[in-house]
Amino acid sequence: MQDTAVAVEQRKQRQGTFSALRSANFRLYFFGQLVSQSGTWMQNIAQGYLVFSLTGSEAALGVVALMAGLPVLLMSPLAGVVVESASRKRLLVGTNVVQMMLALVLTLLTVSGTVQVWHVIALAFVLGMTTAIDAPSRQTFMVEMVGRDDLPSALALNSIMNSSTRVLGPMAAGLVLVQFGMVWCFAINGLSFLVVIVCLLVMGVPYALPLPKTRPNQMKQLREGFAYVRSNAPVLRLLMLASIAGFFLLPILQMLPAIAEVTIHSSREGYALLSAAQGAGSVVAGLVVAWLAARYSRPVIISRALVLGGVVMAVIGYQSNVLVTVACAALSGLFMVSVLVNLNTGIQLSLPNNFRGRVISLYMLTVFGLSPFGALALGTLAEAIGTPYALSVYGLCAVALTGLVMRRFRSVASA
């Protein structure tokens, strides 16, 4: 009995926050994504500035976000079936090649001086089509790289990596925007995909999930996936909380140019500063996620972070002091990532492998499929009643709906 207890304790120590880094494949993945995601954030910053400078419209920012997310909303259920039926590594290589080409097209349009808003919208739509396949493939690929035991570590490190790029990317974007212009942000993003593609090609897949031997009935698989979620109350609760985060909390990212203009009167340097602050808060969230999970249940962490994130969203638009606004942005990033990491980890650890792709796709739908619609509605509302009031409405809605969901599922065991 004592030997068993010692073995369990040693296993826990081996499965710490950084245990996934023992895997050479995960280290390759981590490095490739660090470079590529930093480039993506550079493009996001420059693209937001481009759209706002062309139109001066908060609603236009929402339209671009909507067109990027619409394919995710429409394709996610079917994408889950595709992810379970094909090699995740090959899918990721393919989506990254297409995303690289889209970034280079935007570079050429910008450097030629012919770029228009409809170009950005069209490219965002195609990018959304690749994201619908890329996102669930990436999440499923995690367990194939490191195995189920190190999956929590891989997800936490992936969050830290994503959060770090939200600091590095906006900082680099701010420097490049001011010194060289937005076209270089697009070009650097396009070239950054080469790193992740090479890393994917050379890495192995030691824990590859089995592929079906026969072609599956896709409609039957879709029905089975929805039935599984309906019958699993802990997963259903997490997906409902994810819907609140996706529609009400994440759209603040698209509103940062307008927030920067309203609060600190700078749509370029201020945008980069607020984005970097959000990224810094996100890094902190990634570092403390394991500590929090050891002390509180994930639904408690998620619900409290959602409420606090909603409160920050409700007050940030009324700030005029730069330091206070930056602090609010950092807190927004901290609470947002606390929500997303714990949602992702809670869902992943509760799934059997035969439903992993389908349920993760539904998670991507609730978060990244609903977010663009939330961004469009928020942008439209901001033009009608003003950015500060619109942010307050959204923040308070997030608080109220989180309370309703937790009350509805208060008898459900912690997931």
Side-chain angles (χ1 to χ4, degrees), residues 42-258:
M42 289 185 68
Q43 174 160 319
N44 288 342
I45 297 296
Q47 181 174 283
Y49 174 71
L50 171 64
V51 171
F52 198 67
S53 63
L54 288 174
T55 65
S57 168
E58 292 92 339
L61 295 170
V63 169
V64 173
L66 172 65
M67 297 310 291
L70 186 60
V72 178
L73 183 68
L74 298 176
M75 296 172 57
S76 282
L78 185 59
V81 176
V82 173
V83 168
E84 290 180 358
S85 306
S87 165
R88 270 64 62 173
K89 179 178 174 179
R90 291 181 180 178
L91 288 174
L92 287 172
V93 171
T95 55
N96 277 275
V97 168
V98 175
Q99 290 169 4
M100 178 178 66
M101 294 172 63
L102 294 174
L104 295 178
V105 168
L106 184 57
T107 302
L108 293 175
L109 288 171
T110 306
V111 76
S112 66
T114 60
V115 66
Q116 299 179 35
V117 172
W118 74 265
H119 293 140
V120 181
I121 292 173
L123 292 171
F125 184 80
V126 180
L127 179 64
M129 295 175 66
T130 69
T131 301
I133 299 294
D134 182 88
S137 299
R138 192 186 309 275
Q139 294 298 320
T140 305
F141 193 58
M142 290 286 183
V143 75
E144 294 188 308
M145 282 188 294
V146 302
R148 195 176 183 90
D149 288 345
D150 282 331
L151 181 59
S153 169
L155 293 174
L157 287 169
N158 188 62
S159 171
I160 292 172
M161 179 271 296
N162 286 331
S163 302
S164 299
T165 62
R166 292 182 60 198
V167 178
L168 298 174
M171 287 177 61
L175 176 63
V176 174
L177 269 173
V178 173
Q179 298 295 326
F180 305 105
M182 70 183 75
V183 64
W184 281 100
C185 293
F186 303 144
I188 292 170
N189 179 46
L191 295 175
S192 72
F193 283 104
L194 290 174
V195 177
V196 71
I197 290 170
V198 171
C199 288
L200 284 168
L201 289 174
V202 301
M203 72 171 58
V205 190
Y207 301 96
L209 302 178
L211 298 177
K213 298 182 183 302
T214 59
R215 185 172 182 175
N217 184 319
Q218 294 182 340
M219 294 308 299
K220 179 181 178 181
Q221 285 190 295
L222 282 175
R223 290 193 297 269
E224 289 175 347
F226 284 117
Y228 174 82
V229 170
R230 285 196 303 268
S231 64
N232 192 312
V235 172
L236 181 59
R237 173 178 57 183
L238 291 174
L239 289 178
M240 292 182 72
L241 291 172
S243 300
I244 297 171
F247 192 88
F248 291 102
L249 211 59
L250 264 67
I252 195 174
L253 296 173
Q254 280 76 40
M255 291 298 293
L256 285 181

Side-chain angles (χ1 to χ4, degrees), residues 295 328 401:
R295 289 160 177 78
C328 286
L401 290 173

Side-chain angles (χ1 to χ4, degrees), residues 12-33:
K12 287 182 178 179
Q13 292 176 359
R14 290 196 303 267
Q15 296 169 4
T17 302
F18 301 99
S19 61
L21 290 174
R22 293 193 302 257
S23 165
N25 292 313
F26 185 78
R27 292 196 298 271
L28 275 172
Y29 174 86
F30 189 94
F31 172 72
Q33 290 299 313

